Amino acid sequence: MIVIHTARELRKQIQLKKTSVGLVPTMGALHTGHLSLVKRASEENQLVIVSIYVNPTQFNDKKDLENYPKNLDQDLELLQSSSENIILYAPENDDIYPDGMVPKNFDFGSLALHMEGFSRPGHFDGVATVVEALLKNTTPTRAYFGEKDFQQLTIIKELNKQLKLGVEIISCPIIREKNGLAMSSRNQLLSPKDREEAKVIFKSLEAILKHAEKWTPHQMKQFFIAEVENLKGFKVEYFSVASPSDLIPVDHIEQHKMYRIFVAVYAGKTRLIDTVELKRK
Ligand code: AMP
């Protein structure tokens, strides 16, 4: 596996190979969820670029950035054993922010207003700034993103459209731990007890789906809060039912329309997010 730190070096490598390129952007501390994206990218492209960059401008909380797990040696090992044709792109700040560490301003309309956009002001400007730079630096055929960050995925599709980047954006399903908890680098920050108890998030969402025909979003939210906050140290930040196309939360569910549930929960100091499609019969 080749490890590269600059876009210039990267371009040389890509030109040398002249192949289809799949990009998998990550912030490192890799787990099986990330590796599912890498696997899909290596099935569909001749060359895979995995980027590892913890982007400071998408963290609205300095402590969260400081505590974000980092483990480059282990990431290298995991990637090495996952596929042959991988370039690891670990850019320096200058490579992403040649004019200084400031995010650009984007207009994603309603897509960036609610849920993560509301809870983490400026987050999506930071995300879009780094993803634009990564897409421009790596010029991939396809780029792979997880549905775990469904709002981010939707915004990146919009970014790709607005900037006419012409990249095929591929969405990949959520990979979960055995107990149902969505895999996340942040799970490492949980105590063993919280990591086990955090299964309540997905278990409650599954229970809600069983009542999807009858319950209003308000009833779903009440149930979710009661289940999750029954556990010591767990606090619900938001519970929203929203259309997957405009990401605007709704109070009423209309038959024949598609919706997703979006949640953010604090388990102690660790913030976890999850999302499921609101399937009805
Ligand atoms: P991150 O390193 O958390 O920024 O994630 C990098 C990419 O991996 C994003 O596109 C995430 O949506 C995706 N990802 C993270 N966790 C999972 C998961 N459990 N299942 C599938 N994709 C994931």
Side-chain angles (χ1 to χ4, degrees):
M1 187 175 61
I2 309 170
V3 182
I4 285 176
H5 299 282
T6 65
R8 181 136 46 97
E9 183 60 23
L10 196 58
R11 275 193 277 273
K12 257 195 251 162
Q13 286 292 335
I14 296 171
Q15 267 169 7
L16 282 177
K17 305 224 170 185
K18 283 214 166 85
T19 53
S20 58
V21 174
L23 171 69
V24 181
T26 82
M27 297 206 295
L30 300 181
H31 51 67
T32 312
H34 294 119
L35 296 183
S36 72
L37 273 57
V38 175
K39 182 165 179 285
R40 171 108 187 249
S42 55
E43 285 163 2
E44 296 178 351
N45 303 276
Q46 286 148 299
L47 178 68
V48 176
I49 301 173
V50 177
S51 65
I52 295 187
Y53 180 68
V54 182
N55 173 36
T57 69
Q58 73 186 65
F59 285 81
N60 52 314
D61 175 353
K62 223 175 124 209
K63 276 252 158 59
D64 187 25
L65 173 60
E66 279 165 19
N67 292 337
Y68 197 82
K70 293 170 196 74
N71 204 338
L72 195 57
D73 290 343
Q74 197 184 309
D75 290 349
L76 275 168
E77 263 179 47
L78 278 174
L79 288 176
Q80 231 138 17
S81 57
S82 73
S83 171
E84 301 236 307
N85 235 353
I86 295 185
I87 292 179
L88 170 58
Y89 173 43
E92 306 290 345
N93 287 336
D94 275 359
D95 223 37
I96 301 294
Y97 294 99
D99 304 320
M101 192 77 85
V102 248
K104 295 187 183 175
N105 285 313
F106 293 88
D107 182 3
F108 297 119
S110 66
L111 301 182
L113 283 184
H114 307 283
M115 286 111 49
E116 291 302 283
F118 181 80
S119 294
R120 304 179 70 187
H123 171 66
F124 286 122
D125 277 342
V127 168
T129 304
V130 70
V131 173
E132 178 184 346
L134 290 171
L135 291 174
K136 287 183 172 165
N137 288 356
T138 61
T139 57
T141 321
R142 304 178 184 87
Y144 296 79
F145 295 89
E147 285 178 0
K148 156 124 191 309
D149 301 279
F150 192 92
Q151 193 172 9
Q152 167 176 284
L153 166 69
T154 310
I155 283 173
I156 287 164
K157 285 183 182 163
E158 176 64 20
L159 173 80
N160 186 47
K161 206 155 66 179
Q162 284 185 10
L163 301 180
K164 300 189 175 66
L165 297 174
V167 178
E168 201 182 326
I169 305 294
I170 312 279
S171 48
C172 302
I174 302 177
I175 307 295
R176 299 180 177 279
E177 296 191 2
K178 269 207 195 90
N179 67 7
L181 174 65
M183 286 195 178
S184 163
S185 304
R186 292 177 199 272
N187 293 356
Q188 295 180 27
L189 303 173
L190 296 168
S191 68
K193 183 169 172 278
D194 281 354
R195 192 161 178 161
E196 182 48 28
E197 290 189 339
K199 67 182 176 206
V200 69
I201 299 170
F202 185 56
K203 297 279 176 250
S204 307
L205 291 174
E206 280 185 312
I208 288 170
L209 294 184
K210 292 201 181 114
H211 298 277
E213 294 286 316
K214 304 181 293 287
W215 285 2
T216 63
H218 181 69
Q219 286 170 312
M220 293 176 188
K221 182 176 176 173
Q222 296 289 92
F223 174 84
F224 188 76
I225 292 175
E227 291 293 302
V228 170
E229 298 194 353
N230 195 25
L231 293 169
K232 194 162 170 265
F234 281 65
K235 180 98 194 117
V236 176
E237 187 178 42
Y238 64 74
F239 175 102
S240 299
V241 176
S243 138
S245 49
D246 61 17
L247 299 181
I248 300 177
V250 297
D251 293 328
H252 302 283
I253 289 172
E254 288 179 45
Q255 285 304 320
H256 313 301
K257 282 204 177 165
M258 306 261 287
Y259 298 96
R260 290 190 78 89
I261 303 177
F262 298 86
V263 298
V265 170
Y266 274 96
K269 288 190 176 133
T270 306
R271 188 172 182 278
L272 304 169
I273 59 170
D274 205 341
T275 174
V276 290
E277 190 185 339
L278 188 62
K279 282 203 189 101
R280 285 154 298 151
K281 280 173 217 134

